[in-house]
Amino acid sequence: YGDHRDLHLSLRRQRQMCIRDSYVSDRNGWWNLYYLQNGQTKPLFEVEAEFGRPQWVFGMSTYGFVSAEKIICAYTQNGIWHLASIQTKTRKLERIETDYTSIESVQVNANMAVFIGGSPSQFSSVAKLDLTTQHFYIICRSCDVELALECVSIPQIIKFPTVDGLISYAFFYAPRSACQIASESELPPLIVVSHGGPTGATSNALSLNLQYWTSRGFAVLDVNYGGSTGYGRAYRERLNNQWGVVDVEDCINGSKSVSYTHLTLPTKA
């Protein structure tokens, strides 16, 4: 990461750009957008959100230039991705309203922005935003299966206490089925999911792997344990020299939290 932990210094050199050298850095504790001007680093927009992803593979992109004055970008807060535009002269960010809550591989030109987007009720798709009309179009779907919404469990964001007085995050999926209804006095068993990486993150995009269990009476807790990306550098660095410790403790404490709040059967962990 260098002296300032600068992330993937992707210099976007475009001849007509007033901001020629742009990159993502977590020097303020969050992966924010910066640019170089006369050899000096300046923030393009600072916020407690992340405009980057862990660089485990090549070719990742979370932003692109429409023109010298405008950027289209994706950023995440509390596990939810958003699409936005930034005016490079005024440093003003405007969120673009969309149903997508998982956004990646953003590519931009003067007329459109194309990305992979998903949501709790939609499978991931290659989508296009027409920058003139502000309308979204689906280019290609990852899955053409039509699911009845009454059968889809929509996750809620869970914040729960963990070791050392810290807070961790997860998505909680309650059981949901149009065919079977449990009695109000009966609590469901819980399946806890721990994503890979380890410095990756799970999203709330529609997943048949998770919906399989929720449609059969199980609750699912999909944990973004300490060490996950999307919650700032300090959160990500909880896993330093603690791989297999912090992530496991967070999964245990997350399961205890949902059982204490009477969402699932009591845990024996």
Side-chain angles (χ1 to χ4, degrees), residues 119-193:
S119 78
S121 60
Q122 302 178 71
F123 292 108
S124 294
S125 302
V126 178
K128 178 181 76 172
L129 169 62
D130 186 309
L131 297 177
T132 301
T133 65
Q134 292 295 297
H135 289 163
F136 289 91
Y137 303 91
I138 293 179
I139 299 173
C140 181
R141 301 178 188 272
S142 62
C143 181
D144 290 324
V145 174
E146 295 292 338
L147 296 180
L149 288 181
E150 60 266 23
C151 297
V152 176
S153 176
I154 303 298
Q156 62 184 99
I157 297 174
I158 296 290
K159 297 181 182 180
F160 58 89
T162 188
V163 296
D164 298 327
L166 299 173
I167 298 295
S168 289
Y169 299 83
F171 293 111
F172 176 76
Y173 295 77
R176 187 173 178 85
S177 173
C179 303
Q180 304 292 332
I181 300 177
S183 66
E184 294 183 0
S185 61
E186 187 176 358
L187 293 175
L190 176 69
I191 296 174
V192 179
V193 179

Coordinates of all heavy atoms in Angstrom, one line a residue, residues 119-193:
S119 N -29.6 -7.3 -6.6 CA -30.3 -6.8 -5.5 C -30.9 -8.0 -4.7 O -30.9 -9.1 -5.2 CB -31.4 -5.8 -5.9 OG -32.6 -6.5 -6.4
P120 N -31.5 -7.8 -3.6 CA -32.1 -8.9 -2.8 C -33.2 -9.6 -3.6 O -33.5 -10.8 -3.3 CB -32.7 -8.2 -1.6 CG -31.8 -7.1 -1.4 CD -31.5 -6.5 -2.7
S121 N -33.8 -8.9 -4.6 CA -34.9 -9.6 -5.3 C -34.6 -9.8 -6.8 O -35.4 -10.2 -7.6 CB -36.2 -8.7 -5.2 OG -36.0 -7.4 -5.7
Q122 N -33.4 -9.5 -7.2 CA -32.9 -9.6 -8.6 C -31.6 -10.3 -8.7 O -30.7 -10.0 -7.9 CB -32.8 -8.2 -9.3 CG -34.0 -7.4 -9.3 CD -33.7 -6.0 -9.9 OE1 -33.5 -5.9 -11.1 NE2 -33.6 -5.0 -9.1
F123 N -31.5 -11.3 -9.6 CA -30.2 -11.9 -9.8 C -29.3 -10.9 -10.5 O -29.7 -9.9 -11.1 CB -30.4 -13.1 -10.8 CG -31.1 -14.3 -10.2 CD1 -32.4 -14.6 -10.6 CD2 -30.5 -15.0 -9.2 CE1 -33.1 -15.6 -10.0 CE2 -31.2 -16.1 -8.6 CZ -32.5 -16.4 -9.0
S124 N -28.0 -11.1 -10.3 CA -27.0 -10.2 -10.9 C -27.2 -10.1 -12.4 O -27.4 -11.2 -13.1 CB -25.6 -10.6 -10.5 OG -25.4 -10.4 -9.2
S125 N -27.0 -8.9 -13.0 CA -27.2 -8.7 -14.4 C -26.2 -7.7 -14.9 O -25.6 -6.9 -14.1 CB -28.6 -8.2 -14.8 OG -29.6 -9.0 -14.3
V126 N -25.9 -7.8 -16.2 CA -25.1 -6.7 -16.8 C -26.1 -5.6 -17.1 O -27.1 -5.8 -17.9 CB -24.4 -7.1 -18.1 CG1 -23.6 -6.0 -18.7 CG2 -23.4 -8.3 -17.7
A127 N -26.0 -4.4 -16.5 CA -26.9 -3.4 -16.7 C -26.3 -2.1 -17.3 O -25.1 -1.9 -17.2 CB -27.6 -3.0 -15.3
K128 N -27.1 -1.3 -17.9 CA -26.7 -0.1 -18.5 C -27.5 1.1 -18.0 O -28.7 1.0 -17.9 CB -26.8 -0.2 -20.1 CG -26.4 1.1 -20.8 CD -26.5 1.0 -22.3 CE -28.0 1.1 -22.7 NZ -28.1 1.2 -24.2
L129 N -26.8 2.2 -17.7 CA -27.5 3.4 -17.3 C -27.3 4.4 -18.5 O -26.1 4.7 -18.8 CB -26.9 4.0 -16.1 CG -27.3 5.4 -15.7 CD1 -28.8 5.5 -15.5 CD2 -26.5 5.9 -14.5
D130 N -28.4 4.8 -19.1 CA -28.3 5.9 -20.1 C -28.1 7.2 -19.4 O -29.0 7.6 -18.7 CB -29.6 5.8 -21.0 CG -29.5 6.8 -22.2 OD1 -29.2 8.0 -22.0 OD2 -29.8 6.3 -23.3
L131 N -27.0 7.8 -19.7 CA -26.7 9.1 -18.9 C -27.5 10.3 -19.4 O -27.6 11.3 -18.7 CB -25.2 9.4 -19.0 CG -24.3 8.4 -18.4 CD1 -22.8 8.7 -18.7 CD2 -24.6 8.2 -16.9
T132 N -28.2 10.1 -20.6 CA -29.1 11.2 -21.0 C -30.4 11.1 -20.4 O -31.0 12.1 -19.9 CB -29.2 11.2 -22.6 OG1 -27.8 11.3 -23.1 CG2 -30.1 12.3 -23.1
T133 N -31.0 9.9 -20.5 CA -32.4 9.7 -20.0 C -32.4 9.3 -18.5 O -33.5 9.4 -17.9 CB -33.1 8.6 -20.8 OG1 -32.4 7.4 -20.6 CG2 -33.1 9.0 -22.3
Q134 N -31.3 8.9 -18.0 CA -31.2 8.3 -16.6 C -32.0 7.1 -16.4 O -32.4 6.7 -15.3 CB -31.6 9.4 -15.6 CG -30.7 10.6 -15.5 CD -29.3 10.2 -14.9 OE1 -29.2 9.7 -13.8 NE2 -28.3 10.3 -15.8
H135 N -32.3 6.3 -17.5 CA -33.0 5.1 -17.5 C -32.0 3.9 -17.4 O -30.9 4.0 -18.1 CB -33.9 4.9 -18.7 CG -35.1 5.9 -18.6 ND1 -35.9 6.2 -19.8 CD2 -35.7 6.6 -17.6 CE1 -36.8 7.0 -19.4 NE2 -36.7 7.3 -18.1
F136 N -32.4 2.9 -16.7 CA -31.6 1.7 -16.6 C -32.1 0.6 -17.6 O -33.4 0.5 -17.8 CB -31.6 1.1 -15.2 CG -30.8 1.9 -14.2 CD1 -31.5 2.9 -13.5 CD2 -29.5 1.7 -14.0 CE1 -30.8 3.7 -12.6 CE2 -28.8 2.4 -13.1 CZ -29.4 3.5 -12.4
Y137 N -31.2 -0.2 -18.2 CA -31.6 -1.3 -19.1 C -30.8 -2.5 -18.7 O -29.6 -2.4 -18.4 CB -31.3 -0.9 -20.5 CG -32.0 0.4 -21.0 CD1 -31.4 1.6 -20.9 CD2 -33.3 0.3 -21.5 CE1 -32.1 2.8 -21.3 CE2 -34.0 1.5 -21.9 CZ -33.3 2.7 -21.8 OH -34.0 3.8 -22.2
I138 N -31.4 -3.6 -18.8 CA -30.7 -4.9 -18.5 C -30.2 -5.4 -19.9 O -31.0 -5.7 -20.8 CB -31.6 -5.9 -17.8 CG1 -31.9 -5.4 -16.4 CG2 -30.9 -7.3 -17.8 CD1 -32.8 -6.4 -15.6
I139 N -28.9 -5.6 -20.0 CA -28.3 -6.2 -21.2 C -28.3 -7.7 -21.1 O -28.6 -8.3 -22.1 CB -26.8 -5.7 -21.3 CG1 -26.8 -4.1 -21.4 CG2 -26.1 -6.3 -22.5 CD1 -25.4 -3.5 -21.4
C140 N -28.0 -8.3 -20.0 CA -27.9 -9.7 -19.9 C -28.1 -10.1 -18.4 O -27.5 -9.5 -17.5 CB -26.6 -10.3 -20.4 SG -26.4 -12.1 -20.4
R141 N -28.9 -11.1 -18.2 CA -29.2 -11.6 -16.8 C -28.3 -12.9 -16.6 O -28.1 -13.7 -17.5 CB -30.6 -12.0 -16.7 CG -31.6 -10.9 -16.9 CD -33.1 -11.4 -16.7 NE -34.0 -10.4 -17.1 CZ -34.5 -9.5 -16.3 NH1 -34.1 -9.4 -15.1 NH2 -35.4 -8.6 -16.8
S142 N -27.9 -13.0 -15.3 CA -27.1 -14.2 -15.0 C -28.0 -15.4 -14.8 O -27.5 -16.6 -14.8 CB -26.3 -13.9 -13.7 OG -27.2 -13.7 -12.6
C143 N -29.3 -15.2 -14.5 CA -30.2 -16.3 -14.3 C -31.6 -15.8 -14.8 O -32.0 -14.8 -14.4 CB -30.2 -16.7 -12.9 SG -31.3 -18.1 -12.5
D144 N -32.3 -16.7 -15.6 CA -33.6 -16.3 -16.1 C -34.7 -17.0 -15.3 O -35.9 -16.9 -15.7 CB -33.7 -16.8 -17.6 CG -32.8 -15.9 -18.5 OD1 -32.7 -14.7 -18.2 OD2 -32.3 -16.4 -19.4
V145 N -34.4 -17.6 -14.2 CA -35.4 -18.2 -13.3 C -36.3 -17.1 -12.7 O -35.8 -16.1 -12.2 CB -34.8 -19.0 -12.2 CG1 -35.8 -19.5 -11.2 CG2 -34.0 -20.2 -12.8
E146 N -37.6 -17.3 -12.8 CA -38.5 -16.3 -12.3 C -39.0 -16.8 -10.9 O -39.5 -17.9 -10.8 CB -39.7 -16.1 -13.2 CG -39.4 -15.5 -14.5 CD -39.0 -14.0 -14.4 OE1 -39.3 -13.4 -13.4 OE2 -38.3 -13.6 -15.4
L147 N -38.7 -16.0 -9.9 CA -39.1 -16.4 -8.5 C -40.2 -15.5 -8.0 O -40.2 -14.3 -8.3 CB -37.9 -16.2 -7.5 CG -36.7 -17.1 -7.8 CD1 -35.6 -16.8 -6.7 CD2 -37.0 -18.6 -7.7
A148 N -41.2 -16.1 -7.4 CA -42.3 -15.4 -6.8 C -41.8 -14.6 -5.6 O -41.1 -15.2 -4.8 CB -43.4 -16.3 -6.4
L149 N -42.0 -13.4 -5.5 CA -41.5 -12.6 -4.4 C -41.9 -13.0 -3.1 O -41.2 -12.9 -2.1 CB -41.9 -11.1 -4.6 CG -41.2 -10.3 -5.8 CD1 -41.6 -8.9 -5.8 CD2 -39.7 -10.4 -5.6
E150 N -43.1 -13.7 -3.0 CA -43.6 -14.2 -1.7 C -42.7 -15.4 -1.2 O -42.8 -15.8 -0.1 CB -45.0 -14.6 -1.8 CG -45.4 -15.6 -2.8 CD -45.8 -15.0 -4.1 OE1 -45.4 -13.9 -4.4 OE2 -46.5 -15.7 -4.9
C151 N -41.9 -15.9 -2.1 CA -41.0 -17.0 -1.7 C -39.5 -16.5 -1.5 O -38.7 -17.3 -1.1 CB -41.0 -18.0 -2.9 SG -42.5 -18.8 -3.2
V152 N -39.3 -15.2 -1.7 CA -37.9 -14.7 -1.5 C -37.7 -14.1 -0.2 O -38.5 -13.2 0.2 CB -37.6 -13.7 -2.6 CG1 -36.2 -13.1 -2.4 CG2 -37.7 -14.4 -4.0
S153 N -36.7 -14.5 0.6 CA -36.4 -13.9 1.8 C -35.5 -12.7 1.6 O -34.4 -12.8 1.0 CB -35.6 -14.9 2.7 OG -35.2 -14.3 3.9
I154 N -36.0 -11.5 2.0 CA -35.2 -10.2 1.8 C -34.4 -10.0 3.1 O -35.0 -9.9 4.2 CB -36.1 -9.0 1.6 CG1 -37.0 -9.3 0.4 CG2 -35.3 -7.8 1.4 CD1 -36.3 -9.5 -0.9
P155 N -33.1 -9.9 3.0 CA -32.2 -9.8 4.2 C -32.3 -8.5 4.9 O -32.6 -7.5 4.2 CB -30.8 -10.1 3.7 CG -30.9 -9.6 2.3 CD -32.3 -10.0 1.8
Q156 N -32.1 -8.4 6.2 CA -32.0 -7.2 6.9 C -30.5 -7.1 7.4 O -29.9 -8.1 7.7 CB -33.0 -7.1 8.0 CG -32.8 -8.2 9.1 CD -33.8 -8.1 10.2 OE1 -34.8 -8.9 10.1 NE2 -33.7 -7.2 11.1
I157 N -30.0 -5.8 7.5 CA -28.7 -5.6 8.0 C -28.7 -5.8 9.5 O -29.6 -5.2 10.2 CB -28.2 -4.2 7.6 CG1 -28.1 -4.0 6.1 CG2 -26.8 -3.9 8.3 CD1 -27.8 -2.6 5.6
I158 N -27.8 -6.6 10.0 CA -27.7 -6.8 11.4 C -26.3 -6.2 11.9 O -25.3 -6.5 11.4 CB -27.7 -8.3 11.8 CG1 -29.1 -8.9 11.4 CG2 -27.4 -8.5 13.3 CD1 -30.2 -8.4 12.3
K159 N -26.4 -5.4 13.0 CA -25.2 -5.0 13.7 C -25.2 -5.7 15.0 O -26.2 -5.7 15.7 CB -25.2 -3.5 13.9 CG -25.2 -2.6 12.6 CD -25.1 -1.2 13.0 CE -25.1 -0.3 11.7 NZ -25.1 1.1 12.0
F160 N -24.1 -6.3 15.4 CA -24.1 -7.0 16.7 C -22.8 -6.8 17.4 O -21.7 -6.6 16.8 CB -24.3 -8.5 16.4 CG -23.3 -9.2 15.5 CD1 -22.1 -9.7 16.0 CD2 -23.5 -9.2 14.1 CE1 -21.2 -10.3 15.2 CE2 -22.5 -9.8 13.3 CZ -21.4 -10.4 13.8
P161 N -22.8 -6.9 18.8 CA -21.6 -6.7 19.6 C -20.7 -7.9 19.5 O -21.2 -9.1 19.4 CB -22.2 -6.5 21.0 CG -23.5 -7.2 21.0 CD -24.1 -7.1 19.6
T162 N -19.5 -7.7 19.5 CA -18.5 -8.8 19.4 C -17.4 -8.5 20.4 O -17.5 -7.7 21.3 CB -18.0 -9.0 18.0 OG1 -17.2 -10.2 17.9 CG2 -17.2 -7.8 17.5
V163 N -16.2 -9.2 20.3 CA -15.2 -9.1 21.3 C -14.6 -7.6 21.4 O -14.7 -6.8 20.5 CB -14.0 -10.0 21.0 CG1 -14.5 -11.5 21.1 CG2 -13.5 -9.8 19.6
D164 N -14.1 -7.3 22.6 CA -13.5 -6.0 22.9 C -14.4 -4.8 22.7 O -14.0 -3.7 22.4 CB -12.2 -5.8 22.0 CG -11.2 -6.9 22.3 OD1 -11.1 -7.3 23.4 OD2 -10.5 -7.3 21.3
G165 N -15.7 -5.1 22.8 CA -16.7 -4.0 22.7 C -16.9 -3.4 21.3 O -17.4 -2.4 21.1
L166 N -16.5 -4.2 20.3 CA -16.6 -3.8 18.9 C -17.9 -4.2 18.3 O -18.7 -5.0 18.9 CB -15.4 -4.4 18.1 CG -14.0 -3.9 18.5 CD1 -13.0 -4.7 17.8 CD2 -13.9 -2.4 18.3
I167 N -18.3 -3.7 17.2 CA -19.5 -4.0 16.4 C -19.1 -4.6 15.1 O -18.2 -4.2 14.4 CB -20.3 -2.7 16.2 CG1 -20.8 -2.1 17.5 CG2 -21.5 -3.0 15.3 CD1 -21.7 -2.9 18.3
S168 N -19.8 -5.7 14.7 CA -19.6 -6.3 13.4 C -21.0 -6.4 12.7 O -22.0 -6.0 13.3 CB -19.0 -7.7 13.6 OG -17.7 -7.6 14.0
Y169 N -20.9 -6.8 11.5 CA -22.1 -6.7 10.6 C -22.4 -8.1 9.9 O -21.6 -8.9 9.7 CB -21.8 -5.7 9.5 CG -21.6 -4.3 10.0 CD1 -20.3 -3.9 10.5 CD2 -22.6 -3.4 10.1 CE1 -20.1 -2.7 11.0 CE2 -22.4 -2.1 10.6 CZ -21.1 -1.7 11.0 OH -20.9 -0.5 11.5
A170 N -23.7 -8.2 9.6 CA -24.1 -9.4 8.9 C -25.5 -9.1 8.2 O -26.1 -8.1 8.5 CB -24.3 -10.6 9.8
F171 N -25.8 -10.0 7.2 CA -27.2 -10.0 6.6 C -28.0 -11.1 7.2 O -27.5 -12.3 7.2 CB -27.1 -10.1 5.1 CG -26.5 -8.9 4.4 CD1 -25.2 -9.0 3.8 CD2 -27.1 -7.7 4.4 CE1 -24.7 -8.0 3.2 CE2 -26.6 -6.6 3.7 CZ -25.3 -6.7 3.1
F172 N -29.1 -10.8 7.8 CA -30.0 -11.9 8.3 C -31.2 -12.2 7.4 O -31.9 -11.3 7.1 CB -30.5 -11.5 9.7 CG -31.4 -12.5 10.3 CD1 -31.0 -13.7 10.9 CD2 -32.8 -12.3 10.3 CE1 -31.8 -14.6 11.4 CE2 -33.7 -13.2 10.9 CZ -33.2 -14.4 11.4
Y173 N -31.3 -13.5 7.0 CA -32.4 -13.9 6.2 C -33.3 -14.8 7.1 O -32.9 -15.8 7.6 CB -31.8 -14.8 5.1 CG -31.0 -14.1 4.1 CD1 -29.6 -13.8 4.3 CD2 -31.4 -13.8 2.8 CE1 -28.8 -13.2 3.4 CE2 -30.6 -13.1 1.9 CZ -29.3 -12.9 2.2 OH -28.5 -12.2 1.3
A174 N -34.6 -14.3 7.2 CA -35.6 -15.1 7.9 C -36.1 -16.1 7.0 O -36.1 -16.0 5.7 CB -36.7 -14.2 8.4
P175 N -36.7 -17.2 7.5 CA -37.3 -18.2 6.7 C -38.5 -17.6 5.9 O -39.2 -16.8 6.5 CB -37.8 -19.3 7.7 CG -37.0 -19.1 8.9 CD -36.7 -17.6 8.9
R176 N -38.7 -18.1 4.7 CA -39.8 -17.5 3.9 C -40.3 -18.6 2.9 O -39.5 -19.0 2.1 CB -39.5 -16.2 3.3 CG -40.7 -15.5 2.6 CD -40.3 -14.2 2.1 NE -41.4 -13.5 1.4 CZ -42.3 -12.8 2.0 NH1 -42.3 -12.6 3.3 NH2 -43.3 -12.2 1.3
S177 N -41.6 -18.9 2.9 CA -42.1 -19.8 2.0 C -43.6 -19.5 1.7 O -44.3 -19.2 2.7 CB -42.0 -21.3 2.5 OG -42.6 -22.2 1.6
A178 N -44.0 -19.6 0.5 CA -45.4 -19.4 0.2 C -46.2 -20.7 0.5 O -47.5 -20.6 0.5 CB -45.6 -19.0 -1.3
C179 N -45.5 -21.8 0.7 CA -46.2 -23.1 0.8 C -46.3 -23.6 2.3 O -47.2 -24.3 2.6 CB -45.5 -24.1 0.0 SG -45.4 -23.7 -1.8
Q180 N -45.3 -23.2 3.1 CA -45.2 -23.6 4.4 C -45.2 -22.5 5.4 O -44.4 -21.5 5.2 CB -44.0 -24.5 4.7 CG -43.9 -25.7 3.7 CD -45.0 -26.8 3.9 OE1 -45.5 -26.9 5.1 NE2 -45.4 -27.5 2.9
I181 N -46.0 -22.5 6.5 CA -46.0 -21.5 7.5 C -45.8 -22.2 8.9 O -46.6 -23.0 9.2 CB -47.3 -20.7 7.5 CG1 -47.5 -20.0 6.1 CG2 -47.3 -19.6 8.6 CD1 -48.8 -19.2 5.9
A182 N -44.8 -21.7 9.6 CA -44.5 -22.3 10.9 C -45.5 -21.6 11.9 O -45.9 -20.5 11.7 CB -43.1 -22.1 11.3
S183 N -45.7 -22.2 13.0 CA -46.5 -21.6 14.1 C -45.7 -20.4 14.7 O -44.5 -20.3 14.6 CB -46.7 -22.6 15.2 OG -45.5 -23.0 15.9
E184 N -46.4 -19.4 15.2 CA -45.8 -18.2 15.7 C -44.9 -18.5 16.9 O -44.0 -17.7 17.2 CB -46.9 -17.2 16.1 CG -47.7 -16.7 14.8 CD -48.7 -15.6 15.2 OE1 -48.8 -15.3 16.4 OE2 -49.4 -15.1 14.3
S185 N -45.1 -19.5 17.6 CA -44.3 -19.8 18.8 C -43.1 -20.6 18.4 O -42.3 -20.9 19.3 CB -45.2 -20.7 19.8 OG -45.6 -21.9 19.2
E186 N -42.9 -21.0 17.2 CA -41.8 -21.8 16.8 C -40.7 -21.0 16.2 O -40.9 -20.2 15.3 CB -42.2 -22.9 15.8 CG -41.1 -23.9 15.5 CD -41.6 -25.0 14.6 OE1 -42.8 -25.1 14.3 OE2 -40.8 -25.9 14.2
L187 N -39.4 -21.1 16.7 CA -38.3 -20.4 16.1 C -37.5 -21.3 15.2 O -37.4 -22.5 15.4 CB -37.4 -19.9 17.3 CG -38.0 -18.8 18.2 CD1 -37.0 -18.5 19.3 CD2 -38.3 -17.6 17.4
P188 N -36.9 -20.7 14.1 CA -36.2 -21.5 13.1 C -34.8 -21.8 13.6 O -34.2 -21.1 14.3 CB -36.2 -20.6 11.9 CG -36.1 -19.2 12.5 CD -37.0 -19.3 13.7
P189 N -34.2 -22.9 13.0 CA -32.8 -23.2 13.2 C -32.0 -22.2 12.3 O -32.5 -21.6 11.4 CB -32.6 -24.6 12.7 CG -33.7 -24.8 11.7 CD -34.9 -24.0 12.3
L190 N -30.7 -22.0 12.7 CA -29.9 -21.0 12.0 C -28.7 -21.6 11.3 O -28.0 -22.5 11.9 CB -29.4 -20.0 13.1 CG -28.5 -18.9 12.5 CD1 -29.2 -17.9 11.6 CD2 -27.8 -18.1 13.7
I191 N -28.5 -21.2 10.1 CA -27.2 -21.5 9.4 C -26.4 -20.2 9.3 O -26.9 -19.2 8.9 CB -27.5 -22.0 8.0 CG1 -28.3 -23.3 8.0 CG2 -26.3 -22.2 7.2 CD1 -28.8 -23.8 6.7
V192 N -25.1 -20.3 9.7 CA -24.2 -19.2 9.7 C -23.2 -19.4 8.5 O -22.6 -20.4 8.4 CB -23.4 -19.1 11.0 CG1 -22.5 -17.9 11.0 CG2 -24.4 -18.9 12.2
V193 N -23.1 -18.3 7.7 CA -22.3 -18.4 6.5 C -21.1 -17.4 6.7 O -21.3 -16.3 7.1 CB -23.0 -18.0 5.2 CG1 -22.1 -18.0 4.0 CG2 -24.2 -18.9 5.1

